[in-house]
Amino acid sequence: MSNPEDIPSRLEGKNVARFVCCILGIGSLVAWNAMLTITDYYYQIFPKYHPSRVLTIVYQLFANVFIITLAFKEAKLNTRFRNIFGYSLYTAGTFCLLILDLASRGSGSVVAYVVLCLIVAVFGLADAVVQGAMVGDLSYMCPEFIQAFMGGLGIAGVLTSGLRLITKAIFDKSHDGLRKGALLFIGIATLIQLACIFLYTLVFAKLPIVKYYRAKAGKEGAKTVSADLAAAGLQDQAEQVQQMDESKIQKLTKKQLLRENIDLEINLFLIYVVTLSIFPGFLYENTGEHRLGDWYAPVLVAMYNGWDAIARFIPSIKGLAVESRKWITVCVVARFLLVPAFYFTAKYADQGWMLFLTSFLGLTNGYLTVCIFSTAPKGYNGPEANALGNLMCVFLLGGIFAGVCLGWLWLIGNDSF
């Protein structure tokens, strides 16, 4: 990754680029977060099918299969096409959710549930396409860009949770209130996806600072940037990148990158094993009845998302980021104490303690994620940073999938299993 000091002072657009990266981060997760946040609606129409758990497994299964394939082939893929295709899939998926609900009239039929699972599978594919491409692309740019993108992932959760609470308050007493709120929700998510396609296609590639980083990565042998260079008007550089002799490009292999960063990759995996074994399934099905009633689960989800988003911006403040790999490992291992903490809190404590634990889960998840993604690419050239970014996403999604599967263990001894 290039040092900020190496950037010519005449380059402009850094703040705009950070803003766009944040919006693109929101867009890469808002569809799935919308699904998670309206899970109370899906529990109403599909009460026997464990929607929060089943849909998450479907999503992660497809995301993991495709991210592994794409990470293996990343050096030969067109990053521009990959991102536009991914955001287009998100847009089509959210639009299909609207059509499905309107066509089925909110019925809980098996056919509607199967189609819902298929749409979620499309979201999983889109996640694999976009996450690896965006993280890989931003990994060879300045750290602020990857931090902004990761911050956008957190803001997506805050946005969806906030809107969910608002729509629940507005439609709570009306006929089909949950359904009306869910439809409004999905419609907003669709508009955000369209905005992402516009920003990535017409704005991001043309910013001077983004041109600089991509041209630099191209000179270092990153053929993935050629289409973006051409779209930015740098036709000569794009042609030079395409004509490079791959045998003369000096870069570490994926196996070498994997070996050099195995500690960070395992830590990233373990962060999401813990988080997804608790969130969202446990929060919806294992926290009992409380004074907040049917508001309890949405409030817990909102608390998690809020602190996760705040924590993702903390490492961008000088002196507050943990860069020591040893201390990152200590923090990651310590998070396993959250599993028994949630168990005993659900069994014996009141809702105040559960709200505190859920907030702490989100805080540590967001903070450690950004610290790892900011630390890993340092010292690598463009092609290496791009490859490493894709590999990191494999471990992130792998941890999410493992956590989701382990989340089913909470149902042992539960009559609803």
Side-chain angles (χ1 to χ4, degrees):
M1 178 180 283
S2 301
N3 293 320
E5 291 81 6
D6 297 333
I7 308 170
S9 59
R10 68 179 181 276
L11 290 179
E12 300 176 351
K14 185 174 183 179
N15 290 332
V16 176
R18 290 178 68 183
F19 173 76
V20 173
C21 287
C22 186
I23 299 299
L24 292 173
I26 293 172
S28 69
L29 203 56
V30 71
W32 176 238
N33 268 359
M35 291 289 296
L36 291 180
T37 311
I38 61 173
T39 302
D40 51 348
Y41 169 61
Y42 289 124
Y43 269 100
Q44 183 185 76
I45 59 177
F46 304 114
K48 297 180 180 180
Y49 300 142
H50 301 290
S52 73
R53 300 182 192 274
V54 173
L55 296 179
T56 305
I57 282 184
V58 171
Y59 179 93
Q60 293 303 330
L61 180 62
F62 276 81
N64 276 271
V65 169
F66 283 103
I67 192 63
I68 292 171
T69 305
L70 293 170
F72 183 73
K73 298 285 187 182
E74 55 80 27
K76 300 181 183 297
L77 299 175
N78 180 326
T79 299
R80 183 174 180 80
F81 172 78
R82 187 174 166 182
N83 279 319
I84 294 173
F85 177 65
Y87 283 113
S88 298
L89 280 178
Y90 275 131
T91 306
T94 51
F95 184 72
C96 286
L97 281 178
L98 287 172
I99 300 301
L100 171 65
D101 196 88
L102 293 173
S104 64
R105 297 180 181 179
S107 70
S109 67
V110 175
V111 173
Y113 192 65
V114 170
V115 175
L116 178 64
C117 289
L118 291 175
I119 294 172
V120 169
V122 171
F123 286 155
L125 169 59
D127 189 10
V129 172
V130 169
Q131 285 255 21
M134 284 301 304
V135 171
D137 202 29
L138 299 177
S139 290
Y140 57 77
M141 300 185 192
C142 60
E144 290 88 346
F145 291 179
I146 191 74
Q147 289 167 356
F149 180 79
M150 290 294 162
L153 298 180
I155 290 174
V158 174
L159 179 65
T160 51
S161 290
L163 287 172
R164 184 71 195 99
L165 293 175
I166 292 170
T167 55
K168 185 174 175 60
I170 294 173
F171 298 115
D172 195 35
K173 301 300 182 182
S174 65
H175 176 66
D176 274 350
L178 271 179
R179 183 181 178 220
K180 291 174 183 176
L183 290 174
L184 177 61
F185 219 81
I186 297 167
I188 293 172
T190 305
L191 294 176
I192 292 173
Q193 303 299 341
L194 287 171
C196 287
I197 295 173
F198 169 79
L199 288 172
Y200 184 84
T201 305
L202 301 176
V203 178
F204 190 62
K206 298 179 181 179
L207 295 172
I209 194 168
V210 176
K211 288 183 184 181
Y212 165 78
Y213 279 120
R214 283 180 170 157
K216 186 174 184 294
K219 291 176 183 177
E220 294 170 340
K223 293 195 171 185
T224 56
V225 303
S226 59
D228 278 307
L229 289 174
L234 304 176
Q235 297 288 349
D236 293 340
Q237 288 94 324
E239 291 176 7
Q240 290 172 8
V241 170
Q242 285 291 346
Q243 293 169 3
M244 275 188 177
D245 184 353
E246 290 192 25
S247 63
K248 295 181 180 180
I249 298 173
Q250 295 184 345
K251 62 178 180 178
L252 297 176
T253 64
K254 290 183 179 64
K255 187 176 181 180
Q256 290 171 318
L257 290 168
L258 190 66
R259 187 166 57 245
E260 288 186 4
N261 296 277
I262 192 64
D263 56 337
L264 292 179
E265 290 155 348
I266 291 176
N267 282 333
L268 192 61
F269 177 86
L270 294 177
I271 287 170
Y272 284 86
V273 166
V274 172
T275 299
L276 269 294
S277 66
I278 298 168
F279 176 87
F282 177 85
L283 300 184
Y284 272 101
E285 297 187 5
N286 297 83
T287 50
E289 297 293 330
H290 295 274
R291 292 189 301 274
L292 288 172
D294 61 359
W295 281 83
Y296 189 49
V299 169
L300 287 176
V301 172
M303 293 296 290
Y304 169 86
N305 285 329
W307 284 104
D308 176 67
I310 291 170
R312 287 171 185 262
F313 289 95
I314 294 176
S316 63
I317 302 172
K318 190 174 182 179
L320 295 183
V322 175
E323 296 184 355
S324 167
R325 296 187 176 211
K326 184 181 295 185
W327 278 110
I328 289 174
T329 301
V330 169
C331 294
V332 169
V333 173
R335 286 183 90 241
F336 276 89
L337 294 173
L338 287 169
V339 176
F342 269 93
Y343 173 78
F344 288 111
T345 299
K347 199 170 182 68
Y348 302 111
D350 61 20
Q351 62 189 24
W353 283 104
M354 185 60 73
L355 289 168
F356 169 76
L357 272 183
T358 304
S359 301
F360 188 74
L361 180 72
L363 180 72
T364 53
N365 183 84
Y367 178 77
L368 291 172
T369 296
V370 174
C371 285
I372 289 175
F373 274 105
S374 300
T375 300
K378 290 181 178 178
Y380 293 106
N381 63 27
E384 292 167 347
N386 185 63
L388 181 58
N390 278 268
L391 289 173
M392 297 298 287
C393 287
V394 171
F395 281 85
L396 185 151
L397 291 176
I400 292 174
F401 184 60
V404 168
C405 293
L406 290 172
W408 283 84
L409 296 178
W410 294 106
L411 292 180
I412 293 177
N414 190 325
D415 292 337
S416 64
F417 185 71

